[in-house]
Amino acid sequence: MDHPQDFYSSGKTPYPPLVRQLGERDQALYFLEPAHPTKEGGAGKLLPSQLYGHLQPPASFGPLSTSYQITNGPVAIRHVFCRWKRGTQDHGLKRNDEAQFELGKFNILRYPVDNDFNNPDYLFGHSLPVEGLDKAVLALADYPSVPNAVMRGPLMPAIGGFSKPLASQPSGFTLVTQIEELFQKILGFTMHRWGDVGNFARTCQLVLCHMNQTMARFNISKGDFLNLHVDPEDNATLAEGLSRQAGSIGFVMVSNVREPCEPTRSAGQNSYGFPKERVEHYSKVTASQQLMHHIRFLKTINLRGQNIKVLHLHSMPYLDLKTLDHCLERLPVLQILAVHNCDLLHFGCTVDFLKMVIDYNKRKDRKPIEADFSPRYFYGKRSYQEGRVGEYGVVAQDEGTIDTLRAVVATLQTVVPLALKNGIDWFTPGTGMRQFLERLPWELDTLRYILEALYDLVDLKNGVHDNAYPIHVDKCYEAVHARAFDRFGPHVFVASEPSGWDESSSNDSTQGEQKITPFLRDEMFRTVYHDLIIAMTGKPMLESKLRDIMTSRGKFLLLKCCLCKTKMPSCFFVKSIAARPDNWRVCHGCQLGAYLNQQVNNYERERREVVRLLWDDPNVTDLDTLFKAKRLATVDELDNLSFPFQQVAVKLMVPIEADLSPHFYPTVLSDPGWEAIGRRPRESAPDEWKEISILKERLHAAWWHAKRQIDLGASKSNAVISNCRAHIELIKQRLLTADGNSAHKLKLEQGELETRINQEEARQGLVQMTPKGSFKVAGDWDENIKQFRHIVQCDAGLHQNIGPTPILNKDKIW
């Protein structure tokens, strides 16, 4: 969905400037320290004091963390906010329209529910139905069953989808778009940044149409690859034409293409105007058909990969890292690779994908490529009672085991340094990864500060601020240490070498003249981690809590994950895991990756098994061997009735039978089982008659697994659901006449059947299943928008507190 500034021509939005107001009217609700403090916002109760007043970091770094004392009667509590001034380093992470962009995320029309009018005017429209464009946007909640949609696929407009006619454009601009060579040159500067591509396409219909005409569109949902998957050796009549056509496919877009959807009748709307599920559901391609289309894609890459310069892959069902790595081997002139929202490439694959690109760019026989990546985004599910709920983004459902936002930040602590070290930009506005991160349910206005803190950590580790320090701090070091000793005792702050960071990467050009002491370096790292943790939580934190997170026995300490080898504060580990030794400690990010690899929703595990079966052969080392490798059938395989020799043999049996060779078994033998499988060669037959195609063998195993476990598995699951619902109806009838003991047993049985229904529906990816007794820990847009709307209405005076408990629990600091 576009942002509010895109569909409000006046430039005004129904949201108040909450980003600025949070910092002025109620500081306890905002994570940044007050830039323009007001008495109404609590500034009269904030008493700033820097713990290490004598420590002066370089101006390029900014000040150390400031502690604010908030007095509430006789009680004084010290809090730490994210720094407002963070030095002079500009990492280019800020958006030009950041305040309005952040507010646009909290538009309830993005995540509507059916028991609400979903009016984005939070000040006055809580009980008013939507009208006009807002009502049209609400109808998108029934996607993909949306007739008359404007777009059919990524950068692909529908025929006659636009309601407004083409507008005249400046002649110079029109001429540029019509010159194909020049227009492709312009696209070459933007195609590795998916957000920038989308903004350029939205400039006007002329740009979008020319962009769609420039690329070669491969429809993965229908298996339409413009016949470029056909091998000229198999079909000589197409060889010449396909060769000419393949030479012009520099830019390839592989994606699903949405077919026109015009349901015969609709289920209507409920009393709130929320669209009910339509009678005709959108047709889906079966898993076995998707596999055959995936094989066509691999054939196209294997045959025509030498001509592809720009490759965009969107929403592919069977694309994993191993398959993508094999595809890169067949793309010698590739310049741009963009992978977005593919089913098996979740956020846990981010580090491995980045390492794959880095290894490819280090090859001497290939030119470096520009890579863009956005992991799979999990949307909220349509519920029978609550509309579209549970939009977590990173995971399909919240099982109460993983704090997803902390897991994302933990993973980014590995990704950001690795990307910056190798010159890969994934986090400035306009990239696919930044666009993915902006869709996650962060607190208001926090994502940019999380990324800036991660960039600052990289600068500190690389010694960026070492030569920027104007004076020596050794003279005041003992005085500062003595001040900390008198205030907190000898067990709190001890001068020590930095724990958790390798100092070998620091700038050694000023040996013999130490400009930053180890104690100051520790406090600079501690300050940046303060900014990171506070921005992640979205609210100020207790000073004592922050000190405990990164202090052990009076020393600054970071914990190391045994899997990703990254050192980070203890808040990125489960408490019980943080106490383990280094070789047994796993962070939230690695836990999230393991969870995503093992999830069973929507038959994810079966899909991964299908891909594994496709490559599970020692003779297959790349795409070329997959399609051309052969082997001889063994005697055991020829004698085994269950081995599908006829389906995987290179030479068909019909022309062989015409030879009437004695090297074949007769049609009817004493064992009646031989008649069912027809003729197959004996051990003495020529080797060419016993050859087996590796592709046919692997595809046969993978196809049957997809057919039995996914396609037929879904049919069996639907039958189980129908039987359970029929049984529940019988139980309801029996409850009308059952006594107390019998009614209790019937209710227990009914609960078990309902649980089974939820399990089967979750297995198909239709609903989200949360274990009983668990509490929510994953970031959720539903809760964020509910809290956001409540804050706006309280700020406008629409809610009054008549009790002793605060309305928003805003005095609670994590």
Side-chain angles (χ1 to χ4, degrees):
M1 182 190 297
D2 291 337
H3 292 289
Q5 62 267 27
D6 293 327
F7 54 82
Y8 284 93
S9 57
S10 63
K12 298 181 180 180
T13 66
Y15 316 110
L18 192 58
V19 175
R20 184 177 68 251
Q21 291 180 2
L22 281 177
E24 298 176 358
R25 297 190 181 182
D26 200 336
Q27 187 59 39
L29 291 178
Y30 200 46
F31 68 99
L32 278 178
E33 61 183 353
H36 307 287
T38 62
K39 187 175 182 180
E40 296 78 6
K45 299 180 180 180
L46 297 178
L47 303 177
S49 62
Q50 189 171 332
L51 183 59
Y52 305 104
H54 295 82
L55 289 179
Q56 298 295 331
S60 60
F61 177 79
L64 298 177
S65 293
T66 301
S67 177
Y68 288 84
Q69 178 174 313
I70 301 179
T71 58
N72 187 7
V75 180
I77 306 176
R78 303 184 68 85
H79 300 87
V80 180
F81 294 81
C82 183
R83 295 179 302 160
W84 186 272
K85 298 180 180 180
R86 294 174 302 283
T88 58
Q89 297 289 331
D90 185 8
H91 304 297
L93 298 172
K94 183 179 180 181
R95 301 181 65 98
N96 295 330
D97 57 344
E98 185 173 67
Q100 194 158 346
F101 183 88
E102 288 290 327
L103 292 172
K105 295 179 182 179
F106 290 81
N107 188 344
I108 196 173
L109 289 175
R110 295 174 179 269
Y111 321 98
V113 294
D114 74 343
N115 57 353
D116 194 288
F117 283 115
N118 299 294
N119 196 314
D121 193 345
Y122 296 157
L123 291 178
F124 309 103
H126 180 61
S127 58
L128 298 177
V130 293
E131 299 292 342
L133 184 58
D134 290 340
K135 187 175 182 179
V137 173
L138 182 60
L140 296 177
D142 203 28
Y143 183 86
S145 298
V146 180
N148 302 322
V150 176
M151 304 295 291
R152 298 180 58 195
L155 304 180
M156 184 179 184
I159 300 176
F162 294 100
S163 58
K164 295 183 179 180
L166 285 172
S168 60
Q169 302 295 333
S171 58
F173 181 75
T174 304
L175 183 62
V176 167
T177 58
Q178 291 178 347
I179 301 176
E180 185 176 353
E181 293 79 5
L182 183 58
F183 189 68
Q184 288 184 356
K185 207 70 174 177
I186 296 175
L187 292 181
F189 291 101
T190 59
M191 292 311 299
H192 63 287
R193 300 171 62 89
W194 181 240
D196 291 343
V197 174
N199 291 333
F200 184 44
R202 285 200 297 266
T203 303
C204 60
Q205 297 182 39
L206 178 67
V207 171
L208 179 59
C209 294
H210 278 287
M211 189 179 295
N212 186 59
Q213 294 172 2
T214 302
M215 69 183 74
R217 172 79 60 171
F218 293 166
N219 185 357
I220 191 68
S221 58
K222 294 295 184 182
D224 182 10
F225 291 90
L226 307 179
N227 287 330
L228 293 175
H229 65 283
V230 179
D231 193 343
E233 297 180 359
D234 299 335
N235 195 333
T237 58
L238 294 177
E240 184 178 356
L242 290 178
S243 299
R244 290 196 303 267
Q245 185 178 359
S248 62
I249 57 168
F251 177 19
V252 174
M253 172 76 73
V254 185
S255 69
N256 292 316
V257 175
R258 180 178 175 275
E259 297 300 325
C261 176
E262 297 181 0
T264 56
R265 60 191 183 94
S266 172
Q269 301 175 350
N270 63 5
S271 58
Y272 289 96
F274 190 86
K276 296 182 181 179
E277 291 182 314
R278 299 184 181 274
V279 176
E280 279 195 6
H281 295 279
Y282 193 79
S283 60
K284 294 183 178 180
V285 183
T286 62
S288 54
Q289 290 175 338
Q290 288 177 341
L291 178 60
M292 301 306 297
H293 299 165
H294 181 71
I295 294 297
R296 287 189 175 186
F297 162 73
L298 297 180
K299 284 184 178 180
T300 305
I301 296 297
N302 187 50
L303 295 173
R304 320 293 177 184
Q306 68 274 11
N307 300 308
I308 299 176
K309 297 180 180 180
V310 180
L311 180 61
H312 272 240
L313 306 176
H314 291 257
S315 304
M316 299 190 64
Y318 289 112
L319 184 69
D320 66 342
L321 291 175
K322 185 174 183 178
T323 304
L324 188 59
D325 193 19
H326 288 316
C327 290
L328 286 176
E329 295 294 329
R330 304 295 297 175
L331 300 167
V333 297
L334 186 67
Q335 299 175 2
I336 296 175
L337 173 66
V339 182
H340 301 292
N341 202 33
C342 293
D343 290 357
L344 301 183
L345 296 179
H346 49 69
F347 185 76
C349 301
T350 304
V351 177
D352 293 332
F353 181 90
L354 181 60
K355 291 181 179 179
M356 181 187 66
V357 173
I358 293 172
D359 293 340
Y360 182 88
N361 289 342
K362 290 181 179 179
R363 294 177 53 173
K364 296 182 180 180
D365 59 333
R366 297 290 179 89
K367 292 183 179 180
I369 61 174
E370 297 282 354
D372 194 21
F373 175 62
S374 56
R376 181 184 179 184
Y377 184 85
F378 292 91
Y379 295 91
K381 300 297 182 182
R382 280 295 306 268
S383 173
Y384 294 107
Q385 293 83 18
E386 301 177 359
R388 206 176 133 190
V389 297
E391 184 125 354
Y392 308 107
V394 183
V395 294
Q397 59 190 11
D398 184 7
E399 297 185 8
T401 56
I402 299 177
D403 189 334
T404 55
L405 297 183
R406 293 197 186 201
V408 170
V409 176
T411 304
L412 290 178
Q413 292 182 62
T414 302
V415 175
V416 171
L418 191 60
L420 295 181
K421 181 180 178 180
N422 294 275
I424 297 177
D425 178 17
W426 273 6
F427 304 101
T428 56
T431 61
M433 178 59 72
R434 177 64 180 265
Q435 199 171 36
F436 171 81
L437 294 175
E438 286 171 341
R439 299 172 69 184
L440 299 183
W442 306 100
E443 295 290 339
L444 179 65
D445 200 30
T446 57
L447 176 59
R448 195 248 296 187
Y449 297 94
I450 293 174
L451 296 176
E452 284 192 350
L454 294 171
Y455 273 59
D456 290 339
L457 287 175
V458 176
D459 289 346
L460 273 177
K461 185 177 180 181
N462 295 335
V464 172
H465 305 288
D466 289 355
N467 293 331
Y469 198 68
I471 60 174
H472 297 286
V473 297
D474 301 272
K475 298 180 181 180
C476 63
Y477 172 75
E478 294 182 358
V480 173
H481 182 266
R483 180 169 176 261
F485 183 92
D486 295 337
R487 184 172 182 180
F488 298 101
H491 62 285
V492 177
F493 297 102
V494 180
S496 62
E497 291 296 325
S499 301
W501 287 91
D502 184 9
E503 296 300 318
S504 61
S505 62
S506 300
N507 194 330
D508 298 331
S509 61
T510 58
Q511 290 183 357
E513 183 181 6
Q514 186 180 11
K515 294 186 177 182
I516 295 180
T517 62
F519 184 75
L520 176 58
R521 185 178 295 276
D522 276 356
E523 296 310 312
M524 291 169 67
F525 275 114
R526 190 190 298 270
T527 295
V528 178
Y529 276 116
H530 286 177
D531 296 343
L532 176 65
I533 297 171
I534 294 171
M536 178 186 66
T537 57
K539 54 178 69 69
M541 296 177 61
L542 295 175
E543 180 187 355
S544 58
K545 182 69 175 179
L546 282 172
R547 188 188 306 122
D548 294 340
I549 289 176
M550 287 173 285
T551 305
S552 177
R553 297 180 180 179
K555 297 182 180 180
F556 174 69
L557 180 66
L558 300 176
L559 303 181
K560 183 178 180 180
C561 175
C562 66
L563 296 181
C564 63
K565 309 300 180 183
T566 303
K567 294 182 178 180
M568 58 190 76
S570 60
C571 63
F572 295 101
F573 299 84
V574 179
K575 290 184 179 180
S576 59
I577 295 179
R580 296 178 180 178
D582 288 347
N583 57 345
W584 288 95
R585 191 183 298 120
V586 181
C587 68
H588 282 301
C590 295
Q591 285 181 325
L592 175 63
Y595 169 79
L596 291 173
N597 285 329
Q598 297 298 324
Q599 66 177 347
V600 297
N601 288 60
N602 201 20
Y603 298 98
E604 294 295 330
R605 187 178 298 177
E606 284 77 8
R607 292 179 184 274
R608 295 186 183 278
E609 180 64 16
V610 168
V611 179
R612 189 196 68 81
L613 290 172
L614 193 60
W615 298 101
D616 187 22
D617 193 285
N619 298 314
V620 177
T621 57
D622 54 18
L623 283 179
D624 197 51
T625 55
L626 175 65
F627 291 104
K628 296 181 180 180
K630 303 174 184 178
R631 70 177 182 88
L632 294 179
T634 63
V635 178
D636 294 337
E637 290 173 340
L638 293 175
D639 293 339
N640 186 5
L641 301 181
S642 62
F643 181 74
F645 177 81
Q646 297 185 33
Q647 286 77 17
V648 300
V650 174
K651 198 168 184 180
L652 298 179
M653 299 303 298
V654 174
I656 295 178
E657 290 178 2
D659 298 338
L660 300 178
S661 173
H663 300 290
F664 282 81
Y665 293 111
T667 304
V668 180
L669 297 178
S670 58
D671 187 351
W674 286 101
E675 184 178 4
I677 63 173
R679 295 175 180 265
R680 58 176 62 199
R682 296 178 184 269
E683 183 181 0
S684 60
D687 289 344
E688 62 177 359
W689 293 350
K690 295 184 292 185
E691 283 185 341
I692 291 176
S693 170
I694 299 297
L695 174 63
K696 291 182 178 181
E697 184 180 19
R698 294 293 88 220
L699 183 58
H700 182 273
W703 187 89
W704 273 109
H705 188 82
K707 186 69 174 179
R708 291 168 179 165
Q709 300 298 327
I710 303 177
D711 296 338
L712 299 181
S715 300
K716 294 178 181 178
S717 180
N718 290 329
V720 171
I721 293 174
S722 299
N723 293 335
C724 290
R725 287 177 176 168
H727 198 180
I728 289 176
E729 293 298 326
L730 294 177
I731 291 177
K732 290 181 179 179
Q733 296 296 328
R734 294 173 60 185
L735 282 173
L736 298 176
T737 58
D739 56 5
N741 190 20
S742 300
H744 178 68
K745 293 181 179 180
L746 290 174
K747 288 181 180 179
L748 290 177
E749 186 179 359
Q750 180 180 352
E752 294 177 355
L753 292 173
E754 291 175 350
T755 302
R756 180 66 185 280
I757 291 175
N758 290 336
Q759 290 175 344
E760 296 296 335
E761 290 181 339
R763 193 79 178 83
Q764 300 182 53
L766 301 176
V767 299
Q768 297 167 338
M769 187 171 181
T770 302
K772 294 183 179 180
S774 64
F775 57 94
K776 292 185 177 182
V777 295
D780 185 6
W781 271 119
D782 297 337
E783 296 297 328
N784 282 12
I785 291 178
K786 186 184 300 183
Q787 181 75 358
F788 179 88
R789 181 161 65 176
H790 202 178
I791 292 175
V792 172
Q793 293 174 347
C794 289
D795 187 66
L798 300 181
H799 297 287
Q800 296 182 359
N801 186 17
I802 59 176
T805 304
I807 298 177
L808 297 173
N809 199 19
K810 61 185 179 183
D811 294 336
K812 180 181 178 181
I813 307 295
W814 180 85

